[in-house]
Amino acid sequence: MTDTRRRVKVYTLNEDRQWDDRGTGHVSSGYVERLKGMSLLVRAESDGSLLLESKINPNTAYQKQQDTLIVWSEAENYDLALSFQEKAGCDEIWEKICQVQGKDPSVDITQDLVDESEEERFDDMSSPGLELPSCELSRLEEIAELVASSLPSPLRREKLALALENEGYIKKLLELFHVCEDLENIEGLHHLYEIIKGIFLLNRTALFEVMFSEECIMDVIGCLEYDPTLSQPRKHREFLTKTAKFKEVIPISDPELKQKIHQTYRVQYIQDMVLPTPSVFEENMLSTLHSFIFFNKVEIVGMLQEDEKFLTDLFAQLTDEATDEEKRQELVNFLKEFCAFSQTLQPQNRDAFFKTLSNMGILPALEVILGMDDTQVRSAATDIFSYLVEYNPSMVREFVMQEAQQNDDDILLINLIIEHMICDTDPELGGAVQLMGLLRTLVDPENMLATANKTEKTEFLGFFYKHCMHVLTAPLLANTTEDKPSKDDFQTAQLLALVLELLTFCVEHHTYHIKNYIINKDILRRVLVLMASKHAFLALCALRFKRKIIGLKDEFYNRYIMKSFLFEPVVKAFLNNGSRYNLMNSAIIEMFEFIRVEDIKSLTAHVIENYWKALEDVDYVQTFKGLKLRFEQQRERQDNPKLDSMRSILRNHRYRRDARTLEDEEEMWFNTDEDDMEDGEAVVSPSDKTKNDDDIMDPISKFMERKKCMLKQRAREMKESEEKEVLLKTNLSGRQSPSFKLSLSSGTKTNLTSQSSATSLPGSPGSPGSPGSPGSPGSVPKSTSQTAAITTKGGLVGLVDYPDDDEDDDEDEDKEDTLPVSKKAKFES
């Protein structure tokens, strides 16, 4: 069996002066070679990992508090605490610490002399203790001055605290307080205020335990009523005894627990209401007071959790129909305070707390309470529900899905929450806003779990849209049956704005669930009715809902919008807004600008075809004219797909051949220089293709690699000769390597090859631009009687028929005039 005496929790004090739980484990003491001394070791009970390894330094001040706590500081801003499960374990470790430091285990603190100055060290050697003045009425001023003078010095504070503890001085001071009150000695009461306040700043747990005891705490509060800076004393004791009443809704049988609750409430009151706000220099002096309250709360929550009878009675009475309304309200308020109390706990303790409540049936109990008519009870139950949702939304989702198998939709917990949101009577809808936030947390896929066997998102969203969404959208559907909202008062508008905010969140995060719901229930058309509301914030919520849908660029949504003409309410609102430059104007323009920039073709066409006449006069922004331009470009591409494809080809600088034209292109003819023809007339026949293919395709391939395009050629009629004009147009679909079927006479091969070599030398007789070359301007071919016979299958077809083709052709002819026939032959191929 595990030794529970050594079972501890390790705490560290954070920057906010709150204790952070570092884990639960078992403590031991022993010599650590690395640290060269006796040390405290805490190993986690879960996995045995080392939670704490702290050397027991001879000069470190260790404090023993409340019989089960040991607190110390290892650095200037690094405080540690061990909270023991049993007093015996605390005493055992305390003895070890005192043994190392050479101290008597009966003391509750070991002195720390680190901060003392040389002068104080000398004083300490000469005066081992601090002698307090006798506790008399006439010496109160002297006592107050002594306390004030001791606070700046750590050593003097330590000596003063020890003197106060050893002589029972606090109780003597409180006896003087009664004397001063009876004599109405205001000056003495002012001195006592300063003395008690100074004792708080000594920051000693042993002194707090005396002052916060049942017999002393009210007198301590009484001393703090007489602040010298106030003209009249405060009445804190009157408030605590008469106004603040302890209601024991469920009898607490443990007297220790009851006393701890009273003590914690009063100490919390002292900290929050009685003590003046500490200065920057005094703030750290009250750290022990914070710790005292914190550990008290931990103890109270732990003791209540362990009292199964108490919690069982609590939930039994909450759900019992025979419980009267006043009693039930007290029970709910207690549970609310209990949950609020748990928020100060560390995560591990809070987990255990909520698991205990869940096992006791807190969610079924809340379901019963939320179904009641009492507004105050429902409000408290809502606060409890919010604690549960924030702690573990998956636990709540699992519960509501399980109860759906047994109960009707009307009494489901989540539907009760939605109904309370819808029926909130607060003009500002404070409760509805809180509930909407809780619903948003519950339907947020980001905090849903996914396991190997099931996906919480799929299961819960399927449940939500089947059983709950109709309840959420009911006020929206009821208020939008006509062309304008049937109710347009401020409270209704606020409620609908909350519903739209949640629906917009669903559009963004729920994909197909919300899409199916919107399209099947025609939700967007109903939402856009609210564009006619007199409340601008509601109209903008409706617009934001549509904008979120359009932003998804989902064609299912787009077809639904076009089919139902759902831009009409938006355009109408835009025109009704007129020339006013406001948020509505900007939001609508931004939506159309998004459609233009993202080039959503279907919506662009729909808007221009149906609403252009209403929008064409808007010229202070270019959005609508830009939409019109997009539409025209889109229509032009639809009307002339060849033009669209050729523009795309030209932009990409490459040609593609349409597969359908491959069978049609059976042969291609081209002109050659007549000077190169040996027989005067050359006929290219298909039969010679294989023989001449390599010689002919070599210059053509080089040219095609260099230019990456085909040029159309037109032979001009030679003015100086009687040669007929031969026009060659190739019917190409645009592949990079067109296939040619060529046949040359036997005398052509050598001539073409030699011509290719000749044209590569600038200034040679056959080179372009030479005065005597066959293709140069003004030259006449040597043989005019020879003609080339050329046929093209399919007739003369241009690549693209542009409107300016004639002008371009003239320019092409001028360029061709400067080329020799040999060059033209290459281009034509």
Side-chain angles (χ1 to χ4, degrees):
M1 182 176 178
T2 305
D3 184 6
T4 58
R5 289 183 307 159
R6 298 290 188 93
R7 192 167 184 262
V8 296
K9 280 187 176 294
V10 181
Y11 293 94
T12 59
L13 194 65
N14 61 28
E15 294 178 353
D16 299 326
R17 312 305 297 174
Q18 298 293 324
W19 287 101
D20 292 335
D21 188 346
R22 295 304 184 187
T24 302
H26 292 85
V27 64
S28 62
S29 61
Y31 185 83
V32 176
E33 181 65 30
R34 183 175 62 83
L35 299 177
K36 305 295 183 184
M38 293 294 293
S39 304
L40 296 177
L41 304 173
V42 179
R43 294 195 176 275
E45 65 179 359
S46 57
D47 56 6
S49 60
L50 196 62
L51 295 178
L52 177 68
E53 185 180 59
S54 174
K55 180 181 178 181
I56 304 174
N57 291 309
N59 297 325
T60 298
Y62 291 83
Q63 295 184 51
K64 183 182 177 187
Q65 302 177 5
Q66 303 180 32
D67 294 331
T68 56
L69 282 173
I70 297 177
V71 182
W72 72 98
S73 298
E74 290 207 343
E76 184 176 351
N77 292 314
Y78 188 62
D79 292 353
L80 291 163
L82 293 179
S83 176
F84 290 79
Q85 181 170 331
E86 296 184 10
K87 180 179 181 297
C90 182
D91 292 341
E92 187 177 339
I93 295 298
W94 183 250
E95 288 179 7
K96 295 286 187 183
I97 294 171
C98 291
Q99 182 181 350
V100 172
Q101 294 197 339
K103 303 293 180 181
D104 184 353
S106 62
V107 301
D108 288 338
I109 188 168
T110 58
Q111 297 183 22
D112 181 8
L113 304 179
V114 173
D115 294 331
E116 59 184 82
S117 64
E118 292 297 327
E119 181 180 354
E120 289 172 335
R121 291 185 186 217
F122 179 77
D123 291 342
D124 184 44
M125 293 172 62
S126 59
S127 56
L130 183 67
E131 185 176 350
L132 294 173
S134 58
C135 195
E136 299 173 0
L137 199 60
S138 60
R139 307 192 70 176
L140 283 177
E141 183 177 1
E142 183 182 349
I143 298 171
E145 291 176 356
L146 175 63
V147 172
S149 64
S150 300
L151 291 176
S153 167
L155 177 61
R156 291 180 65 82
R157 283 205 311 269
E158 191 70 30
K159 289 182 177 181
L160 176 60
L162 287 173
L164 291 171
E165 289 177 39
N166 296 334
E167 299 180 20
Y169 210 77
I170 292 177
K171 293 185 178 180
K172 296 177 183 178
L173 289 172
L174 296 179
E175 291 174 3
L176 283 181
F177 168 70
H178 288 289
V179 173
C180 288
E181 271 206 319
D182 293 339
L183 298 175
E184 296 183 356
N185 184 347
I186 302 300
E187 183 180 358
L189 292 171
H190 287 170
H191 290 317
L192 282 168
Y193 171 88
E194 297 292 349
I195 293 169
I196 296 298
K197 177 187 171 185
I199 293 174
F200 269 97
L201 296 177
L202 291 175
N203 210 25
R204 289 290 293 253
T205 303
L207 298 179
F208 288 157
E209 288 177 351
V210 175
M211 291 193 293
F212 299 153
S213 63
E214 189 71 26
E215 57 180 326
C216 296
I217 188 168
M218 295 306 291
D219 292 336
V220 170
I221 294 173
C223 290
L224 293 172
E225 290 180 349
Y226 293 93
D227 187 345
T229 61
L230 301 176
S231 58
Q232 293 292 328
R234 299 291 181 86
K235 297 182 179 180
H236 297 302
R237 287 171 295 174
E238 182 179 336
F239 173 81
L240 290 172
T241 55
K242 296 181 180 179
T243 307
K245 295 181 179 180
F246 178 66
K247 293 184 178 180
E248 199 172 353
V249 292
I250 300 289
I252 297 175
S253 56
D254 187 348
E256 183 183 354
L257 173 59
K258 189 182 297 186
Q259 187 274 331
K260 188 72 70 176
I261 292 173
H262 284 296
Q263 183 189 58
T264 304
Y265 175 78
R266 290 166 179 169
V267 175
Q268 186 85 58
Y269 182 83
I270 290 173
Q271 183 190 43
D272 295 340
M273 304 299 298
V274 179
L275 286 177
T277 304
S279 66
V280 176
F281 303 103
E282 295 173 339
E283 188 171 1
N284 290 337
M285 293 182 176
L286 293 174
S287 60
T288 304
L289 181 61
H290 293 295
S291 302
F292 188 95
I293 297 170
F294 172 81
F295 289 115
N296 264 18
K297 289 182 177 180
V298 172
E299 283 190 56
I300 291 171
V301 172
M303 294 167 78
L304 285 174
Q305 281 180 243
E306 293 169 3
D307 192 342
E308 293 186 6
K309 182 179 184 304
F310 177 86
L311 292 177
T312 303
D313 292 345
L314 172 65
F315 286 105
Q317 292 189 35
L318 269 176
T319 54
D320 188 357
E321 295 181 359
T323 305
D324 61 81
E325 294 300 321
E326 184 178 355
K327 178 69 172 179
R328 181 174 281 109
Q329 182 176 341
E330 292 177 350
L331 291 167
V332 173
N333 286 334
F334 168 79
L335 188 56
K336 174 186 171 182
E337 292 298 321
F338 194 29
C339 291
F341 212 57
S342 71
Q343 298 305 295
T344 61
L345 302 179
Q346 295 302 311
Q348 297 93 329
N349 295 334
R350 193 160 60 247
D351 287 348
F353 172 79
F354 280 111
K355 284 178 182 176
T356 301
L357 293 185
S358 177
N359 294 335
M360 297 302 297
I362 188 171
L363 285 170
L366 285 177
E367 193 171 28
V368 173
I369 298 167
L370 288 169
M372 298 178 178
D373 297 330
D374 193 322
T375 306
Q376 291 183 342
V377 171
R378 289 207 312 260
S379 176
T382 300
D383 291 336
I384 298 169
F385 184 70
S386 69
Y387 289 126
L388 295 171
V389 172
E390 290 169 7
Y391 159 69
N392 191 348
S394 292
M395 178 182 72
V396 178
R397 284 191 285 260
E398 184 178 359
F399 170 78
V400 296
M401 284 191 290
Q402 289 176 353
E403 69 165 348
Q405 302 172 4
Q406 305 170 359
N407 300 332
D408 296 333
D409 288 357
D410 294 340
I411 59 174
L412 295 179
L413 175 60
I414 197 166
N415 283 345
L416 291 174
I417 296 296
I418 295 174
E419 288 173 6
H420 291 327
M421 183 185 83
I422 294 171
C423 301
D424 189 4
T425 56
D426 180 9
E428 298 297 328
L429 295 185
V433 172
Q434 179 189 13
L435 291 172
M436 193 278 292
L438 297 177
L439 289 172
R440 180 169 175 159
T441 302
L442 288 174
V443 301
D444 187 356
E446 295 297 325
N447 59 47
M448 295 184 184
L449 304 176
T451 62
N453 300 325
K454 62 179 182 178
T455 303
E456 184 183 12
K457 176 180 176 181
T458 302
E459 292 187 357
F460 180 74
L461 292 183
F463 157 82
F464 182 79
Y465 281 89
K466 180 179 180 181
H467 297 280
C468 308
M469 184 58 92
H470 66 280
V471 182
L472 179 64
T473 56
L476 171 67
L477 298 177
N479 208 39
T480 55
T481 54
E482 300 177 359
D483 293 337
K484 61 180 182 179
S486 54
K487 290 179 64 179
D488 205 17
D489 58 279
F490 179 72
Q491 189 165 353
T492 301
Q494 276 193 310
L495 174 62
L496 293 178
L498 286 177
V499 173
L500 284 180
E501 184 177 344
L502 190 56
L503 290 177
T504 304
F505 177 83
C506 294
V507 167
E508 185 175 2
H509 292 89
H510 289 178
T511 60
Y512 66 91
H513 289 94
I514 188 67
K515 184 195 303 181
N516 292 339
Y517 191 82
I518 289 174
I519 294 175
N520 293 335
K521 301 294 184 181
D522 201 12
I523 294 295
L524 181 55
R525 185 179 65 81
R526 295 295 195 94
V527 168
L528 292 176
V529 171
L530 302 177
M531 293 287 293
S533 171
K534 65 182 180 182
H535 300 284
F537 70 87
L538 181 58
L540 287 167
C541 284
L543 182 63
R544 183 163 58 247
F545 179 73
K546 180 172 183 177
R547 173 64 178 82
K548 186 66 71 175
I549 290 176
I550 291 176
L552 298 176
K553 297 190 286 188
D554 188 319
E555 281 302 312
F556 283 99
Y557 277 130
N558 293 347
R559 286 195 291 271
Y560 163 61
I561 291 172
M562 294 184 293
K563 181 180 178 181
S564 302
F565 293 91
L566 295 180
F567 274 102
E568 184 174 336
V570 178
V571 174
K572 189 179 295 184
F574 180 72
L575 298 177
N576 291 340
N577 190 65
S579 59
R580 284 176 293 176
Y581 182 61
N582 53 18
L583 191 56
M584 177 66 71
N585 175 275
S586 298
I588 293 176
I589 290 175
E590 189 277 334
M591 183 173 69
F592 285 111
E593 181 68 12
F594 176 83
I595 295 172
R596 185 192 71 80
V597 170
E598 296 295 326
D599 195 16
I600 305 177
K601 294 179 175 57
S602 56
L603 296 184
T604 300
H606 176 75
V607 170
I608 297 301
E609 288 173 354
N610 294 281
Y611 308 107
W612 171 244
K613 289 185 179 179
L615 300 172
E616 62 180 338
D617 294 332
V618 179
D619 55 4
Y620 54 87
V621 290
Q622 298 302 309
T623 297
F624 300 108
K625 288 182 170 55
L627 272 178
K628 176 70 170 174
L629 180 61
R630 289 275 193 194
F631 172 74
E632 290 173 348
Q633 291 172 343
Q634 179 181 337
R635 181 57 60 86
E636 185 179 357
R637 288 193 292 268
Q638 291 175 349
D639 293 343
N640 196 344
K642 291 185 178 180
L643 175 61
D644 184 46
S645 62
M646 182 50 59
R647 284 178 175 170
S648 175
I649 290 172
L650 293 176
R651 283 196 302 269
N652 295 329
H653 299 291
R654 66 173 180 264
Y655 290 92
R656 295 173 184 265
R657 166 170 286 188
D658 190 342
R660 291 173 297 180
T661 66
L662 293 177
E663 296 178 357
D664 296 333
E665 294 179 3
E666 296 295 330
E667 53 187 334
M668 182 174 291
W669 302 81
F670 64 94
N671 284 332
T672 59
D673 284 345
E674 295 178 71
D675 289 341
D676 297 331
M677 305 292 186
E678 290 183 355
D679 298 328
E681 182 175 0
V683 177
V684 183
S685 61
S687 61
D688 293 328
K689 177 187 182 303
T690 56
K691 179 173 58 177
N692 302 295
D693 215 27
D694 293 337
D695 293 332
I696 299 304
M697 290 303 294
D698 183 63
I700 294 174
S701 299
K702 290 181 180 179
F703 172 76
M704 293 302 292
E705 291 174 4
R706 185 168 64 252
K707 296 299 183 180
K708 298 295 184 182
C709 65
M710 289 295 295
L711 298 174
K712 59 182 179 177
Q713 297 294 327
R714 181 178 293 167
R716 69 176 180 82
E717 182 179 50
M718 303 298 291
K719 295 181 181 180
E720 296 81 7
S721 69
E722 296 178 357
E723 184 181 62
K724 293 182 180 180
E725 176 185 3
V726 180
L727 179 64
L728 176 62
K729 293 271 189 171
T730 57
N731 184 20
L732 296 178
S733 62
R735 290 186 61 158
Q736 279 191 328
S737 301
S739 60
F740 296 95
K741 292 190 176 182
L742 307 174
S743 178
L744 299 177
S745 62
S746 59
T748 306
K749 178 177 179 182
T750 306
N751 291 335
L752 279 173
T753 307
S754 62
Q755 177 191 354
S756 172
S757 302
T759 56
S760 65
L761 300 174
S764 65
S767 66
S770 299
S773 63
S776 62
S779 65
V780 180
K782 295 180 182 179
S783 175
T784 60
S785 61
Q786 300 169 352
T787 59
I790 300 174
T791 63
T792 57
K793 186 174 181 179
L796 303 175
V797 181
L799 288 176
V800 183
D801 293 330
Y802 290 104
D804 300 332
D805 264 359
D806 294 338
E807 298 178 5
D808 295 338
D809 291 343
D810 292 341
E811 294 175 6
D812 291 342
E813 288 177 5
D814 293 340
K815 293 178 181 178
E816 289 169 7
D817 288 346
T818 65
L819 298 175
V821 175
S822 60
K823 198 69 167 180
K824 289 162 59 179
K826 291 181 183 179
F827 283 150
E828 288 166 1
S829 64

